[in-house]
Amino acid sequence: MSDVTTLRSRHLLGIEDLEPAEISLILDTAVAMKEVGTRAIKKVPALRGRTVVNLFFEASTRTRLSFELAEKRLSADTMGMTTSGSSVTKGETLIDTAKTLEAMSPDMIVIRHASSGAAHVLARVCRSSIINAGDGTHEHPTQALLDAFTITERKGTLAGLRVAIIGDLLHSRVLRSNALLLTRMGASVIACGPPTLIPLGLDRLGVTVTTSIDEACDGADVVMMLRVQHERMHGLFLPSVREYFSLFGLTTERLARAKSDAIVMHPGPMNRGVEIASDVADGNQSVILDQVANGVAVRMAVLYLLAGGDAQGEA
Ligand code: CP
């Protein structure tokens, strides 16, 4: 159990701002929130009378819908905005958009944006609590939290685990948030990708870096695959999809190098046959759909704690 009962900040901008005890608090709170999802009436009044705006400037299925469901399960009033159909298409800036929404007095703004640091900008200019739902190549804190929750469910702990994170490391905010969280909680992380997709300074996150997928998989407790982010590649990073799969795709043969009870993770959306074989994605070691389910509980926990809720259950 965590030895703190509240979060220090009213924003969740990145894992980099969270202390281990705060990470434990969110994960512990998510256990109680997951129980709400098993009830006949999946709703609690914790955020009744609070308004949450979901501001998605980038495509999203899992994050947007699970935030929306989490907000509804906590009885919050929600408003959603995506780029298309909004005045962003007429050239309205991020700050003007946020201030316009703030004029309607929301309590929290969940933001996904293609620019690294977008959530930090809003936190400086807005009165609302800001939750980063993915900013450029910087961080995706709720993804790392739901990944940690899923690992803990299966393994009982994060400390001492060997976690291989494999794929497009250069463009991955999921890698960055997971590396920060997992190393902070005592796991060891080995990151693997093609040399053209390894960001400079990755080792400063406390991870081991390799270009060998076999080395990454050897003895792993967790094999986490990352999506090849074609939409962020504006250069020649990969020779071909076929060559990428042959060198870095997760197959049953490669997975056999990990521990026999290793779990396979992917934040989604997956490129089947590019970073992961379909039989592995759908196999009995895969927890990919558990990650999706746990995203609701973890996001409920984050919303609840940022709204001032504490470990005693008072929001
Ligand atoms: N993992 C994740 O962020 O998925 P979405 O882009 O579908 O939200």
Side-chain angles (χ1 to χ4, degrees), residues 59-63 112 140 143 267-269:
S60 169
T61 298
R62 281 147 283 267
T63 312
R112 168 169 289 193
H140 192 350
Q143 179 69 45

Side-chain angles (χ1 to χ4, degrees), residues 34-197:
K34 188 160 180 173
E35 187 276 325
V36 173
T38 65
R39 297 180 192 169
I41 297 174
K42 302 174 176 57
K43 214 170 177 74
V44 289
L47 293 194
R48 194 160 56 198
R50 312 277 181 110
T51 305
V52 186
V53 175
N54 299 307
L55 197 49
F56 278 72
F57 290 88
E58 260 194 341
S60 169
T61 298
R62 281 147 283 267
T63 312
R64 185 168 64 83
L65 293 178
S66 62
F67 262 114
E68 205 175 303
L69 187 54
E71 291 151 12
K72 290 189 161 107
R73 286 194 176 165
L74 293 170
S75 305
D77 297 317
T78 68
M79 298 193 289
M81 205 203 87
T82 55
T83 306
S84 71
S86 76
S87 288
V88 174
T89 58
K90 301 175 194 164
E92 191 163 39
T93 65
L94 169 64
I95 291 177
D96 282 339
T97 302
K99 286 189 166 170
T100 300
L101 294 168
E102 273 230 311
M104 302 177 211
S105 304
D107 298 284
M108 295 190 217
I109 298 176
V110 178
I111 177 170
R112 168 169 289 193
H113 200 279
S115 298
S116 301
H120 290 74
V121 169
L122 288 203
R124 276 202 297 275
V125 301
C126 293
R127 293 181 306 275
S128 318
S129 287
I130 306 297
I131 303 177
N132 183 1
D135 64 326
T137 58
H138 177 231
E139 279 228 40
H140 192 350
T142 57
Q143 179 69 45
L145 288 161
L146 75 87
D147 290 342
F149 184 88
T150 305
I151 296 171
T152 309
E153 260 190 344
R154 293 298 181 122
K155 301 288 171 194
T157 182
L158 297 170
L161 296 181
R162 177 178 160 88
V163 182
I165 305 182
I166 301 163
D168 178 354
L169 308 177
L170 183 64
H171 301 104
S172 182
R173 54 197 178 205
V174 175
L175 162 71
R176 196 175 149 72
S177 290
N178 264 296
L180 287 164
L181 188 155
L182 292 167
T183 54
R184 217 160 268 193
M185 301 304 280
S188 70
V189 175
I190 180 161
C192 169
T196 50
L197 292 176

